[in-house]
Structures are given as C-alpha cells and as structure tokens.
Amino acid sequence: MEFIYYFGDVFTPINFGLLLLGTIGGLILGATPGLSPTMAVALLIPFTFQLEAAQGLILLGAAYTSTVAGGAVSAILLKIPGAPANIATTLDGHAMALKGEGAKALQLSFLSSAVGGVFGVLLLIFLTPVLAQWALAFGPSHLFWLAILGVTVIGSLDSASVVKGLLSGCIGLWLATIGFDDIMGAQRFIFHPSLGGGINIIAALIGLFAIPQVITMFAKGRKNDGTQAIQVQKHPIKSAFSELFRYKRAMGIGTITGSIIGLIPGVGGQIAGLVAYDQSKKFSPGKDKFGTGHPEGLIAAESANNAMVGPSLVPLLTLSIPGSPTAAVLLGGLLIHGIFPGTDLFDNHPDVAWTFINSMLIGQILMCIFGLYVAGMAARVAQVPQSVMAAIVLGLAVFGSYSVQASMGDVYVMASLGVMMYFLERFGFSAAPLVLGLILGPIAESNFIQGSMIATATDGLAPYFLTGALNLFLIVVVVLSVLYSGYMELRTRRYTSKEEIMG
Amino acid sequence: MSNSSLPRVQHIIGSGVVAVVGATVCYISYTQQPSEAFLFPRLIATVFVVLALWTFVKACLGWTKVGNGLSLTQFSNLAPGLIIALIYIFWAAKGLGFYTATSISFFILLSLYDPAPHRVLKSWVKRIITTVCFIAVMYGLFALLLKVYTPREIFF
C-alpha cells in the first residue's frame, strides 16, 4: 500500500497542471488520424528535459492514456480510428453515430475507457512491486535472455511476417552497437562523424515513428479526404451511466481481456480491442446486432484498449522490458533522467515510480471528465488537412530531435532513420521490433559481456547461458513465441488463399 | 512492367539492400580489431545476415507475401515533399537558420499538399496565417519555454 503515501504528490500545482495538459493534449492528439499514441509520446519527450523525472513521466503517462481514449472520437465521428487500438471501436461506434447516437457513443466510449483504464492501473499498482522484488533473482544471463525475449516477442507477434519482424529486431540491435564500445573504447560502425556518440535514442524514436507518418501523408497527395464529422446531439450523461451498467458483461469481458493482453509483451491495444469485441459478441444474446451500432461492441472494445495501458507497463517497470512501442518510448523518458526501471526504480526512486503510477490512475478519471467535453473540439481538430499535419509533425520532429543535445547530428540521424523506416515498412518490416532492439540492445550487450566474464571464470559460456531453470524457461518462451507466430502466419495465409480460391 | 511484377522487383531491391547491409555488418564484425569489442555485434550480425539472406532469396523466388511496395502514383506524390523535407533538414536548417528554413519549408509543403484551390486568394491567405501561427508557437515553445538555442545562421 506504499502508493497511497505518494498520492498527494500528484496534486501539487505543477504536477496536476502537467497531468491536465497531458490529458487534454492527448485527447486532441489521439483524435487526430495519423498521430499514434507512440508518435505523440515520442514527440513530447523533448518537452520533458527541463522537468523533474516524475513531472516528465506524468506528462508522458497522461498523454499515453488519453491518446488511446481520444482515438475513439475520430473512430466514432469520422470512421477513421485515431490509433490502431480503436479499430474495433469503429465497427459499432460509427454505426451508432450514423443512427444519431453520436453523443451517446462518445459518452459510453469515455466511461468504459475510464472503467477499463482504472482496473488496468490498479493491476499495475498491485503487480509491479511483487514482480520488481522477483526481478532481484535475475542475473546477467537472465537479463540477457529477457532483452532478447523483448525483441523476439514483439518481432514475431507485432509483425505480419515473423522473419521480417525478427530481422527488424536485428537491425535495431545492430544500430544500438554503433559508437564507442563501453569496455574497450573501440570504434564500432562509425561511418559518419554524426554517429560518434552512438545513435541517440530520443532522436531515433522521433525519426522512426514520426517521419514515416509524414511521408505516408505526402504519399496520399493533394487530395481532399472529404471526411466530415457527424454532428452530435445532446445526450443526458445519466442515461449513459445506466446504459453502461446494463451492459456490464461486455465491460467485464473488455476489461479482463484488455488487462490480460496488456501483460503480454508485444500484443498491443489493437489486438486487445478486437479480441474483446469478438469475445463479447460470442457471449452476447444480441450477437446479431453487433456491427449495426450496438453499444455492447463499443463498450467491450473501448474498455479493453484502455485496460491494457496499465498492465503494458508492468514488464517495463519491473524488468526493464518494454511491453509495447509506447512503453519503449516511456523507457527512453526514464533513461534520460538517469533512472533505470526494476528494483532501482522502486528502492531508490519510489517517489518517481508511485507519483507516475498514481497520476495514471487520476489521469483515467480526468480523461473521462474532459473527454466528454473535449470530444467536439477534438473532432474538429481531426478534420485538419493532412498537409498541415505533415508539415507540423515534420517541424516538431526537427526541433524536437535538435533540442535533445543541441546537435545537428541527431537531426540527421532522425531523418535518415525515418526515411529508411518508411521504405522498410513498404516492404513489410516493422518499426516496433526495430525500436525495441535499439532500446534493449545496450541492456542485452552489457549483460552478455558481464555474463561472459562470469562464465570465463566459472563453467564456460554455454553452461552459463544455456543451463539453469530460469535460463531454460526464457529460452523456451523465446522459441515458442517465434514458432507460434510462424504457425499463425502460415495458418492465416492458408486461410486467405483458400478464401481467394473459393472466391 | 506489369503492376504485379512491380512489387516483386521492389522486394528484390529492398531485401537486397538489407542483405548487403547485413553482409557488411557481418564482415566488419568478424574482421575488425579488437575482436573482444565485436563479440556482441558478431552474435547479432550472424543472425542478421542469415535472416536477411533468407528474405532476399524469398524475394527473388517471388515468395514474399508481406509489403505492398510503392506504386508510381504514391512515389510521384511523395517525391516533391520528401525532396523539400530533405533539403530543409540536411541543408536549409543549418544554412539559413532553423526558423527561416522551417517557415519556408512549412509554407512550401502546405502549398504543395493543401487540397484547397491555388487560384483562390483565400487559400493563400490561410496558408500564410497557418505558417505564421506555427512558427510563433514553435518559437514560443522552443526558444522561450525550453530555451533551446537553434542555429540562426544568415537569417533568423
């Protein structure tokens, strides 16, 4: 119950102001199609340099929470999911808006997001300290395998092609080795003076997430999307509450599904929303109404995609393994303040850890309150032409990456990685495993080197890294995640080609 | 060249480039000294080159299922914007000064991609106002709030 002790820290004027700013800004950014939560958080990192660690994390955490919820606004009113996590929301949310129930859909969406989100953060509060203590038992070989697990799980589960996902992870791990070697001081892969200090993580994150989006907007050309937001009529909030209570089964399914999926590294909000939607449909007596504007579908999807936010941070805060690309960006936000997740965070910086986690809990409630009022404004922002968004994001990316170390080298690295990622994405590669490789590379390498030194003095490299219950367990999980994803990929292809043959 | 063969050629080029990078990384990792400093890169590079060659062979055999490549329309749409962005980042930002370069490139990108008609004066006024507002916000955020001293060079 240590978290209660730090609750008051959330309500200091600066912290609460940042929480409000992150929540309202996140809702508006989330509603803007093309601005994913990961990209929004990455673009915000430069603004946290001058803040204290807890304050920076409050801003980033609030933005993360509310961009996921804000994505529902454009999903409901424009039929364009603000983020991949809101794809399932579009199915019934937009149909409700077309029937003139736009306001009700928005209210149900924010209320169910808040319920799911609060449950998810409570899970984070109670699971994290237990797992952080468990992490003390981890030695260099286990941490090495954990880092590899982080890359392979995201590489295999988050990508359409397992091989390309793993290859993206390898590219990230290689990029992490660029610069001077920590132990020997040797130069590695420094092809240009800008790379002398290695690849700056923040500049790389901005480039890898923001620049491909900018180029994608360019690729759409000079056309008018013609998307018009559906006007919303007033709807009493009281009846939205009673409706939510009426569909408590859908909310329960969404909340539990989202929380479980959030705990699994690599499986994002998109999967959480779709699985919850599907499960809710299976158990519903009105399954035929799904897809026609049925509140159950909307409630299940929205409670699930926000319920996964808290649990997705559990592997990050306990084992330093980001469970999602956004968690990887948050890890970057922690590292720039010299704070390492795991026991270091909870033993040496409990004020930072608990203020951040508590702020996410309060943020869920603020997101619900403001979401109901900001939705209309956010829908107008969502209609901003892509040309304006592309130019704004490009400008923010350049200024943001320069401000990291006041270095043009970081801007060049940001742009080069961004352009490279756009073309790689066109050929089926994925940014998430590449980012995970880049972030977990130094963790994997330092533990590999430490482990090799211990191994040389003891049993040798192979017995040290390949034996022991925990090592074997982690290796089995790595192999199983790759095999399972490979099997699912083959199955999907066979199913798709059969459907094509059948017409 | 037919539309269906276009992605295949692109996949061969794309995965070929990745394979060349993988092979270069592998070669450097195994030949550079001191070899202890390249212990971890050697581990990564070996997996990297195996997966890259696998992807390349699959692309050559036409077995690639993932990734739509880039159509000619998409390429012609993105090319002007990408060129402007690259000139802005690699030359103008340092050569002209951050704020000047950002104003010019922002305005050009808006004009290039804004769906509003070019022959209507209102469209141009809107673009100028948007550019001025954006630069004012950027100046307020970065120069005044974050105190980031960006290169000013010959202009602002």
Side-chain angles (χ1 to χ4, degrees), chain A residues 403-465:
Chain A
S403 66
V404 178
Q405 311 181 101
S407 155
M408 277 311 286
D410 286 340
V411 181
Y412 300 151
V413 167
M414 178 276 298
S416 310
L417 287 178
V419 173
M420 176 199 81
M421 198 63 241
Y422 173 76
F423 287 104
L424 284 177
E425 278 179 349
R426 301 307 306 167
F427 299 116
F429 292 84
S430 176
L434 201 152
V435 166
L436 263 281
L438 189 59
I439 286 184
L440 294 176
I443 298 171
E445 181 170 12
S446 63
N447 284 294
F448 181 72
I449 300 296
Q450 270 186 47
S452 341
M453 286 173 179
I454 296 169
T456 317
T458 53
D459 307 334
L461 211 60
Y464 181 75
F465 278 97

Side-chain angles (χ1 to χ4, degrees), chain A residues 50 164 188 218-219 222 399 426, chain B residues 37 69 77 112 114 116 146:
Chain A
Q50 301 208 340
K164 285 185 176 172
R188 299 190 305 194
F218 288 159
R222 196 175 158 257
F399 275 81
R426 301 307 306 167
Chain B
N77 280 341
L112 271 174
D114 188 2
L146 297 177

Side-chain angles (χ1 to χ4, degrees), chain A residues 46-47 50 144 160-161 163-164 166-167 170-171 173-174 177 181 184 186-189 191 215 217-224 385 387-388 391-392 394-396 398-400 402-403 408 411-412 414-416 419 422-429 441 444-445 448-449 452 489 493, chain B residues 10-11 14 18 21 25 28-29 34 36-41 43-44 47-48 51-52 54-55 64-70 74 77-78 81-82 85-86 88-90 93-94 98-99 102 106 109-118 130 134 138 141-142 145-146 148-151:
Chain A
F47 297 99
Q50 301 208 340
F144 166 75
S161 156
V163 176
K164 285 185 176 172
L166 294 175
L167 188 49
C170 276
I171 296 173
L173 286 168
W174 163 61
T177 64
D181 161 50
M184 312 287 293
Q187 288 190 26
R188 299 190 305 194
F189 311 109
F191 304 118
I215 304 175
M217 290 182 206
F218 288 159
K220 287 179 183 163
R222 196 175 158 257
K223 66 173 184 191
N224 197 339
S387 55
V388 180
I392 289 175
L394 179 68
L396 275 173
V398 171
F399 275 81
Y402 179 82
S403 66
M408 277 311 286
V411 181
Y412 300 151
M414 178 276 298
S416 310
V419 173
Y422 173 76
F423 287 104
L424 284 177
E425 278 179 349
R426 301 307 306 167
F427 299 116
F429 292 84
E445 181 170 12
F448 181 72
I449 300 296
S452 341
E489 193 184 319
R493 257 180 222 162
Chain B
Q10 288 185 10
H11 275 295
V18 174
V21 172
V25 169
I28 294 173
S29 304
E36 292 86 352
F38 286 86
L39 186 63
F40 185 71
L43 193 75
I44 305 296
V47 184
F48 184 174
L51 293 173
W54 182 349
T55 310
T64 308
K65 306 278 184 210
V66 179
N68 299 323
L70 199 66
Q74 284 172 324
N77 280 341
L78 73 83
L82 188 58
L86 293 178
Y88 162 48
I89 291 168
F90 287 97
K94 182 86 175 75
F98 256 49
Y99 291 99
T102 307
F106 188 91
L109 288 173
L110 269 192
S111 312
L112 271 174
Y113 291 100
D114 188 2
H118 287 323
T130 312
F134 175 70
M138 294 300 275
L141 275 177
F142 286 92
L145 187 71
L146 297 177
V148 178
Y149 187 83
T150 48

Side-chain angles (χ1 to χ4, degrees), chain A residues 237-316:
Chain A
I237 188 89
K238 240 185 196 174
S239 64
F241 271 107
S242 55
E243 191 112 2
L244 195 71
F245 190 72
R246 216 173 107 204
Y247 295 115
K248 52 185 177 291
R249 184 186 41 233
M251 202 169 63
I253 291 173
T255 303
I256 291 166
T257 312
S259 302
I260 295 169
I261 288 177
L263 282 169
I264 307 168
V267 190
Q270 178 187 343
I271 308 285
L274 288 168
V275 171
Y277 183 88
D278 185 54
Q279 290 303 311
S280 182
K281 188 177 174 182
K282 272 184 192 152
F283 289 102
S284 169
K287 58 182 80 164
D288 300 337
K289 293 183 197 161
F290 274 70
T292 62
H294 191 38
E296 260 190 280
L298 173 74
I299 291 167
E302 274 305 305
S303 53
N305 66 28
N306 254 54
M308 61 74 64
V309 169
S312 76
L313 299 179
V314 173
L316 168 73

Side-chain angles (χ1 to χ4, degrees), chain B residues 3-135:
Chain B
N3 269 345
S4 58
S5 63
L6 192 67
R8 185 174 167 180
V9 174
Q10 288 185 10
H11 275 295
I12 292 171
I13 297 169
S15 56
V17 171
V18 174
V20 168
V21 172
T24 312
V25 169
C26 201
Y27 175 76
I28 294 173
S29 304
Y30 278 93
T31 53
Q32 284 285 309
Q33 293 298 329
S35 65
E36 292 86 352
F38 286 86
L39 186 63
F40 185 71
R42 274 202 295 279
L43 193 75
I44 305 296
T46 311
V47 184
F48 184 174
V49 80
V50 169
L51 293 173
L53 288 174
W54 182 349
T55 310
F56 179 62
V57 171
K58 272 177 78 177
C60 291
L61 296 172
W63 292 352
T64 308
K65 306 278 184 210
V66 179
N68 299 323
L70 199 66
S71 72
L72 209 59
T73 319
Q74 284 172 324
F75 184 75
S76 55
N77 280 341
L78 73 83
L82 188 58
I83 291 167
I84 301 290
L86 293 178
I87 292 172
Y88 162 48
I89 291 168
F90 287 97
W91 177 75
K94 182 86 175 75
L96 302 178
F98 256 49
Y99 291 99
T100 312
T102 307
S103 315
I104 296 168
S105 57
F106 188 91
F107 183 73
I108 295 173
L109 288 173
L110 269 192
S111 312
L112 271 174
Y113 291 100
D114 188 2
H118 287 323
R119 289 184 182 185
V120 179
L121 183 69
K122 205 177 139 190
S123 309
W124 291 101
V125 174
K126 229 177 177 177
R127 285 167 196 157
I128 291 168
I129 292 171
T130 312
T131 307
V132 171
C133 291
F134 175 70
I135 294 302

Side-chain angles (χ1 to χ4, degrees), chain A residues 206-216 394 397 414-415 418-419 422, chain B residues 89:
Chain A
I206 295 173
L208 290 167
F209 287 113
I211 299 299
Q213 281 298 328
V214 171
I215 304 175
T216 305
L394 179 68
M414 178 276 298
V419 173
Y422 173 76
Chain B
I89 291 168

